[in-house]
């Protein structure tokens, strides 16, 4: 009896110590993050204004802006999302619900999991040889978007498979017992209930992609662009005369730059003239990332609430 009481007291003490250590570690991490954010805000918050958001990069700090990298980031994320999300979800559904459970499926699963940890520069080298040279996509928004799509594709696939595995097998069996086909079970039951986990994987993947620099530099991202990609059906002029109108998807062939590359360009310049511009760009990048994450979390919440009720 005494040994049992002593063991219980020891377990409670260990639990309290572990709880205190966890709180201390979390406080340290949050404190460091808060200090970094505060330093970034002090350095760059005063620089953020309408002129900064709507001006092109310049060699004069007072006139410099982030319009072209901001638009480039949004366009590349758009191409990345419309490529990686459907492909990743479809591949995850096929591997989990349609594919046979044999040695080949195990080999594919191991390789997909390993691809999620491959350094991003490797994807840049792959894209340079495949998209730029083999497919002749050149150094365009399309090449950049597809590169980042392949970068986050393993994350989306793994998240989709894990979300489908978390659904009880009894739900599938009940739907089959009522005469539903496999696709009807997936469409009306499995995909809605797994949407929360899938959207979490998408959020993680997009958050990683929007801050990537190495693969985009590898395939030829520019550090200075003083123009925007042509919007659909924009009039193209030559010597003041309209010669044609841009196609609906002509913008995907335009050269590009993104916010992380613009930050790197300003930070790498000698002196501290562009330090405030780089800090302001970092704040904008964080706001864009948090906004995209917040939108995805809101969608996930609405889906879960609709399923619950």
């Amino acid at each position: 009896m005494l040994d049992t009481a002593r063991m219980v007291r020891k377990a409670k003490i260990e639990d309290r110590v572990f709880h205190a250590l966890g709180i201390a570690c979390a406080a340290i991490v949050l404190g460091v993050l808060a200090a970094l954010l505060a330093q970034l805000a002090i350095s760059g918050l005063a620089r953020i204004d309408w002129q900064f958001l709507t001006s092109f990069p310049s060699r004069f700090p007072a006139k410099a802006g982030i319009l072209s990298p901001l638009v480039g980031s949004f366009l590349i994320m758009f191409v990345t999302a419309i490529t990686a999300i459907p492909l990743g979800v479809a591949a995850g559904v096929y591997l989990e619900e349609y594919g046979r459970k044999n040695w080949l499926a195990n080999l594919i699963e191991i390789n997909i999991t390993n691809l999620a940890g491959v350094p991003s520069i490797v994807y840049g080298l792959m894209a340079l040889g495949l998209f730029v040279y083999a497919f002749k996509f050149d150094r365009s928004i399309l090449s950049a978007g597809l590169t980042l799509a392949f970068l986050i594709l393993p994350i989306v696939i793994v998240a989709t498979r894990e979300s489908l595995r978390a659904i009880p097998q009894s739900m599938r069996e009940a739907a089959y017992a009522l005469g539903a086909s496999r696709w009807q079970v997936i469409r009306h039951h499995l995909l809605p209930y797994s949407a929360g986990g899938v959207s979490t994987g998408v959020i993680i993947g997009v958050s990683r992609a929007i801050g990537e620099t190495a693969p985009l530099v590898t395939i030829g991202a520019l550090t200075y662009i003083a123009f925007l990609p042509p919007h659909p059906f924009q009039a193209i002029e030559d010597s003041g005369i309209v010669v044609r109108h841009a196609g609906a998807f002509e913008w995907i062939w335009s050269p590009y730059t993104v916010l992380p590359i613009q930050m790197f360009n300003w930070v790498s310049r000698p002196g501290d003239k562009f330090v405030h511009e780089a800090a302001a760009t970092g704040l904008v990048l964080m706001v864009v990332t948090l906004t995209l994450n917040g939108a995805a979390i809101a969608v996930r919440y609405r889906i879960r609430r609709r399923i619950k009720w």
Side-chain angles (χ1 to χ4, degrees), residues 43-68:
S43 180
L45 191 59
R47 186 64 184 87
I48 299 177
D49 53 19
W50 184 249
Q51 181 272 334
F52 182 73
L53 297 175
T54 58
S55 300
F56 291 103
S58 171
R59 61 191 181 93
F60 301 104
K63 298 180 180 180
I66 57 170
L67 179 59
S68 53

Side-chain angles (χ1 to χ4, degrees), residues 141-159:
I141 292 175
L142 179 62
S143 296
L146 293 178
T147 302
L148 297 182
F150 277 89
L151 176 67
I152 70 172
L153 193 60
I155 301 175
V156 179
I157 293 176
V158 172

Side-chain angles (χ1 to χ4, degrees), residues 18-37:
F18 182 78
H19 183 69
L21 288 175
I23 294 177
C25 292
I28 293 173
V29 172
L30 293 177
V32 173
L33 179 60
L36 293 175
L37 291 177

Side-chain angles (χ1 to χ4, degrees), residues 196-213:
V198 173
S199 59
T200 300
V202 171
I203 292 171
I204 295 173
V206 172
S207 298
R208 178 186 179 186
I210 198 172
E212 285 293 342
T213 303

Side-chain angles (χ1 to χ4, degrees), residues 27-270:
I28 293 173
V29 172
L30 293 177
V32 173
L33 179 60
L36 293 175
L37 291 177
Q39 180 63 32
L40 199 64
I42 293 172
S43 180
L45 191 59
R47 186 64 184 87
I48 299 177
D49 53 19
W50 184 249
Q51 181 272 334
F52 182 73
L53 297 175
T54 58
S55 300
F56 291 103
S58 171
R59 61 191 181 93
F60 301 104
K63 298 180 180 180
I66 57 170
L67 179 59
S68 53
L70 184 62
V71 173
S73 294
F74 278 118
L75 292 179
I76 289 174
M77 285 301 103
F78 175 74
V79 175
T80 300
I82 65 174
T83 304
I85 296 175
L87 284 178
V89 173
V93 169
Y94 176 80
L95 292 173
E96 192 62 30
E97 300 296 330
Y98 288 95
R100 295 182 178 180
K101 310 302 180 184
N102 51 25
W103 65 270
L104 181 59
N106 294 332
L107 181 63
I108 293 174
E109 181 175 359
I110 293 173
N111 281 281
I112 291 175
T113 305
N114 290 336
L115 284 174
V118 172
S120 59
I121 187 66
V122 177
Y123 286 93
L125 294 173
M126 179 273 297
L128 182 65
L130 184 63
F131 298 139
V132 177
Y133 294 139
F135 292 166
K136 306 298 181 182
F137 290 164
D138 296 328
R139 306 172 191 274
S140 61
I141 292 175
L142 179 62
S143 296
L146 293 178
T147 302
L148 297 182
F150 277 89
L151 176 67
I152 70 172
L153 193 60
I155 301 175
V156 179
I157 293 176
V158 172
T160 302
R161 296 193 67 183
E162 293 298 329
S163 299
L164 292 173
R165 287 175 182 175
I167 299 176
Q169 184 64 25
S170 58
M171 181 177 293
R172 299 174 175 83
E173 295 172 353
Y176 290 140
L178 293 174
S181 65
R182 179 173 294 183
W183 169 242
Q184 288 175 328
V185 173
I186 294 172
R187 170 66 180 82
H188 298 289
H189 300 281
L190 300 186
L191 286 180
Y193 279 92
S194 63
V198 173
S199 59
T200 300
V202 171
I203 292 171
I204 295 173
V206 172
S207 298
R208 178 186 179 186
I210 198 172
E212 285 293 342
T213 303
L216 300 184
V217 171
T218 305
I219 62 175
L222 302 178
T223 57
Y224 175 79
I225 291 182
F227 59 88
L228 295 179
H231 58 75
F233 313 113
Q234 174 184 349
I236 306 298
E237 298 182 356
D238 186 8
S239 300
I241 301 175
V242 177
V243 295
R244 65 182 182 88
H245 288 80
F249 298 98
E250 188 169 335
W251 55 270
I252 65 176
W253 305 108
S254 298
Y256 64 92
T257 188
V258 291
L259 291 173
I261 292 178
Q262 188 62 58
M263 286 180 59
F264 173 77
N265 179 32
W266 281 336
V267 171
S268 62
R269 293 194 176 194

